[in-house]
Amino acid sequence: MNLKVLSLVDPSKVDVPMALLISLISIIIVFLILILIIVISHFLFKGIDKVDDTFNINARRKENKILNEDEDAVVALIAATIEFNKETGKNAHLNSIERID
């Protein structure tokens, strides 16, 4: 079975030095494409970092000591949220919690 390959060089005239040159050119093309992909992804991630900095997407909230130390406060907060939802039909959003002494 005779397979014809689409190429720029006649396969019957390719010797070892020509084959090495073709291989070298192919390897260079592959690495150039890889470098192009790396550069594009670098700029994309740089843009994502700017968005994160602008909108504080990854900013951590301060840890609330009351919620960690007092389990009764957490239960009371959940109960108050459920009662608020039952009475008003609105969803509650907790912004902060402070102990009043």
Side-chain angles (χ1 to χ4, degrees):
M1 199 159 106
N2 189 5
L3 296 176
K4 292 186 178 181
V5 179
L6 179 65
S7 67
L8 298 175
V9 180
D10 184 18
S12 62
K13 296 181 183 177
V14 175
D15 53 353
V16 173
M18 184 64 136
L20 291 174
L21 181 63
I22 292 172
S23 299
L24 183 64
I25 291 172
S26 300
I27 291 170
I28 290 172
I29 290 172
V30 167
F31 278 107
L32 288 176
I33 291 172
L34 288 174
I35 290 171
L36 181 67
I37 291 171
I38 290 170
V39 168
I40 289 172
S41 64
H42 172 74
F43 284 118
L44 286 176
F45 284 121
K46 200 173 188 180
I48 290 172
D49 290 341
K50 285 183 182 178
V51 170
D52 287 347
D53 293 341
T54 303
F55 294 105
N56 293 328
I57 293 172
N58 293 327
R60 294 198 53 128
R61 298 174 102 183
K62 287 192 272 182
E63 192 172 322
N64 197 319
K65 293 180 184 177
I66 296 172
L67 295 177
N68 289 336
E69 295 173 359
D70 192 2
E71 291 180 8
D72 293 333
V74 175
V75 173
L77 179 65
I78 292 171
T81 304
I82 292 171
E83 285 299 316
F84 176 80
N85 190 336
K86 284 182 183 177
E87 290 180 13
T88 63
K90 298 179 182 178
N91 290 330
H93 178 75
L94 177 66
N95 290 327
S96 67
I97 181 172
E98 294 179 13
R99 182 179 302 278
I100 300 174
D101 292 322

